[in-house]
């Protein structure tokens, strides 16, 4: 009997999934890719590897969760059997630095990390628990967004706080690791010489971060202890003077919960524009505040690229990925123009057509656009864990 693996990537309002055939010995074969939209209008959509629509329908309220997805998947599997499910988990803390089989004890240990990622960790855990309740015998594997950054130097991970806190785990972890692992692997597939370059990957989606890589390993990243640090994001503030937070808490009497809500949900592109946290909507808007937000996003991203280039000791390759990185020629151009002094020279026609290589031949830095695929990394890690 043929076997299949399900990869689940839970976000704020949807769960992306990939279903893979395990039969071929070396490569996982994509069978279906899709999303379970939660929220007000639950919906299940899926496409086959060739882009054919397999499913696109609203879900009834009481049958709108993982159960509906599982039901659809099992109807599609035919003679295949689902043998494992892998999950993206945002925070692995210090303990989880590689994929792990999700036993009840492990799930509890992951749940204990919730204070480190109060909004994201519960989203990661919900589908795991739902699936465990529905299919108790199905092995589940946790794949951690923090794990890729375990190679960063203590100098990079440390905060200048009293040193006991570092030992207690109050340090930079970094996120988006599954995406960075995919990009590192993809660069190596394109050419080992490319993968050996001093590289900065810009994962620009609703959440956004940069990762500096040497030989495909993380040496620095913009997100920190939490997924708030670094770049301006859709609704998150990015790097901010901690004095501002103290001022809100101590002088303005804002509660911790209200401050958390402002920093995660009301800031970033949404906060600056007052219009939307969605880059596509801002690009389509004539409102000057929308333009201001887009410019600010690019300004801060370019500033952080320069900071990470300093950790790397140079910059030879810049990769754009995720929703904004893959699709917004405007943002890529704005970032690259601010990095001209570093030898970054963008080819405008290539950029406008979203080509794979968007640098001019005379650019000192190769600029690439690479579509990320976190689900394939989850599936691969889940398979490895199953074989371990
Ligand atoms: P998530 O972090 O939720 O996985 P994505 O990687 O899907 O997010 O990125 C979502 C972001 O990408 C949104 O800001 C969206 O507007 C932006 N985006 C998607 N397509 C385009 C496009 N064609 N032009 C500009 N921005 C885009």
């Amino acid at each position: 009997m043929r076997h299949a693996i399900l990869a689940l990537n839970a976000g704020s309002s949807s769960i992306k999934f990939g279903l893979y055939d395990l039969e071929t010995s070396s490569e996982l074969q994509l069978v279906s890719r899709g999303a379970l939209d939660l929220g007000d209008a639950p919906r299940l959509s899926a496409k086959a590897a060739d882009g054919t629509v397999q499913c696109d329908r609203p879900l009834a309220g009481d049958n709108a969760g993982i159960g509906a997805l599982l039901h659809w998947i099992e109807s599609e599997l035919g003679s295949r059997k689902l043998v494992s499910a892998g999950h993206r988990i945002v925070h692995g803390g210090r303990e989880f630095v590689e994929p792990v089989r999700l036993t009840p004890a492990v799930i509890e240990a992951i749940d204990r990390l919730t204070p480190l990622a109060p909004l994201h960790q519960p989203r990661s855990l919900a589908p795991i628990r739902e699936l465990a309740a529905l299919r108790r015998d199905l092995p589940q594997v946790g794949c951690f967004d923090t794990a890729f950054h375990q190679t960063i130097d203590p100098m990079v991970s440390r905060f200048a706080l009293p040193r006991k806190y570092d030992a207690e785990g109050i340090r930079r972890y970094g996120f988006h690791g599954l995406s960075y692992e995919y990009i590192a692997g993809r660069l190596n597939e394109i050419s080992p010489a490319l993968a050996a370059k001093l590289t900065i990957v810009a994962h620009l989606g609703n959440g956004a971060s940069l990762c500096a890589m040497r030989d495909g390993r993380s040496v620095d990243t913009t997100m920190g202890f939490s997924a708030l640090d670094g770049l301006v994001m859709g609704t998150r503030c990015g790097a901010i003077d901690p004095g501002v937070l103290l001022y809100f808490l101590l002088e303005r009497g804002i509660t911790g919960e209200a401050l958390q809500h402002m920093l995660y949900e009301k800031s970033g592109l949404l906060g600056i524009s007052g219009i939307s946290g969605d880059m596509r909507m801002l690009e389509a808007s004539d409102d000057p505040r929308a333009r201001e937000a887009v410019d600010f996003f690019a300004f801060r991203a370019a500033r952080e690229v320069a900071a990470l280039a300093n950790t790397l000791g140079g910059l030879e390759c810049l990769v754009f990925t995720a929703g904004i990185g893959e699709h917004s020629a405007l943002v890529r151009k704005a970032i690259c123009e601010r990095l001209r002094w570093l030898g970054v020279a963008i080819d405008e026609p290539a950029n406008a057509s979203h080509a794979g290589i968007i640098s001019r031949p005379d650019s000192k830095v190769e600029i690439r656009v690479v579509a990320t695929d976190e689900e394939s990394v989850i599936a691969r890690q889940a398979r490895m864990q199953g074989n371990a």
Side-chain angles (χ1 to χ4, degrees):
M1 178 182 281
R2 294 157 73 96
H3 289 170
I5 283 190
L6 173 63
L8 292 174
N9 179 355
S12 56
S13 59
S14 72
I15 300 175
K16 293 184 203 163
F17 68 88
L19 184 65
Y20 298 83
D21 191 310
L22 252 181
E23 211 47 45
T24 44
S25 52
S26 58
E27 270 307 300
L28 289 164
Q29 202 76 41
L30 182 69
V31 178
S32 269
R33 179 190 287 290
L36 179 66
D37 286 318
L38 310 166
D40 295 341
R43 195 167 192 88
L44 179 62
S45 51
K47 288 182 176 170
D50 65 2
T52 314
V53 175
Q54 294 173 307
C55 173
D56 188 16
R57 61 178 161 86
L59 297 170
D62 55 348
N63 184 25
I66 288 287
L69 173 63
L70 204 56
H71 190 259
W72 180 80
I73 285 174
E74 287 175 344
S75 71
E76 283 296 305
L77 281 174
S79 60
R80 295 186 199 94
K81 178 177 187 280
L82 193 60
V83 292
S84 168
H87 296 264
R88 173 182 175 202
I89 298 178
V90 167
H91 217 307
R94 283 182 298 174
E95 193 179 338
F96 298 105
V97 292
E98 46 190 48
V100 62
R101 176 78 183 267
L102 294 167
T103 62
V106 169
I107 295 172
E108 288 316 305
I110 294 170
D111 199 1
R112 284 196 290 275
L113 299 170
T114 297
L116 302 184
L119 300 189
H120 293 89
Q121 203 77 337
R123 280 177 209 153
S124 304
L125 286 167
I128 295 171
R129 289 190 163 129
E130 260 189 88
L131 204 48
L134 290 165
R135 295 285 182 280
R136 203 179 315 172
D137 297 336
L138 181 69
Q140 298 197 70
V141 176
C143 309
F144 298 93
D145 250 342
T146 42
F148 187 73
H149 302 292
Q150 62 184 293
T151 46
I152 63 177
D153 192 87
M155 179 91 85
V156 174
S157 65
R158 177 159 291 165
F159 297 134
L161 291 170
R163 61 185 302 130
K164 68 169 187 165
Y165 293 116
D166 189 72
E168 290 176 15
I170 302 189
R171 42 157 294 207
R172 179 182 306 280
Y173 290 94
F175 300 89
H176 290 139
L178 299 172
S179 175
Y180 293 130
E181 182 169 333
Y182 176 80
I183 301 289
R186 187 71 199 104
L187 295 179
N188 195 47
E189 269 171 21
I190 296 168
S191 110
L194 175 62
K197 290 189 170 185
L198 300 176
T199 298
I200 292 177
V201 181
H203 177 108
L204 310 178
N206 283 315
S209 72
L210 305 178
C211 177
M213 293 182 193
R214 190 179 290 128
D215 294 322
R217 288 159 172 262
S218 175
V219 294
D220 201 351
T221 188
T222 55
M223 279 182 170
F225 174 73
S226 74
L228 276 179
D229 201 6
L231 307 188
V232 172
M233 300 174 225
T235 60
R236 285 176 248 163
C237 58
I240 187 167
D241 174 357
V244 174
L245 314 184
L246 292 173
Y247 169 76
F248 274 123
L249 289 169
L250 302 176
E251 304 297 331
R252 299 277 290 258
I254 286 185
T255 64
E257 287 75 18
L259 185 57
Q260 173 172 291
H261 183 65
M262 174 163 73
L263 300 177
Y264 276 97
E265 309 281 2
K266 295 288 174 195
S267 300
L269 293 171
L270 172 64
I272 296 164
S273 68
I275 298 169
S276 172
D278 188 289
M279 186 61 84
R280 217 173 339 188
M281 288 189 64
L282 294 178
E283 286 191 17
S285 167
D286 294 333
D287 192 312
R289 294 174 307 164
R291 183 73 215 191
E292 203 182 322
V294 177
D295 287 347
F296 188 63
F297 180 90
F299 164 71
R300 289 275 296 266
R303 185 165 136 160
E304 294 289 338
V305 169
L308 263 58
N310 196 60
T311 307
L312 275 175
L315 180 63
E316 295 168 329
C317 182
L318 177 61
V319 179
F320 288 98
T321 193
I324 299 170
E326 291 166 30
H327 303 294
S328 174
L330 181 80
V331 170
R332 290 193 301 255
K333 178 169 176 251
I335 294 172
C336 288
E337 282 183 343
R338 289 184 175 277
L339 295 168
R340 220 177 294 159
W341 66 277
L342 266 174
V344 171
I346 192 164
D347 180 327
E348 294 206 23
N351 183 44
S353 64
H354 309 286
I357 299 178
I358 58 168
S359 42
R360 289 206 313 255
D362 62 333
S363 179
K364 291 204 184 93
V365 178
E366 183 166 328
I367 316 169
R368 285 189 173 255
V369 178
V370 179
T372 195
D373 184 357
E374 290 157 313
E375 293 76 38
S376 73
V377 175
I378 295 167
R380 229 178 294 142
Q381 293 191 357
R383 176 168 72 169
M384 269 169 39
Q385 234 295 320
N387 290 341

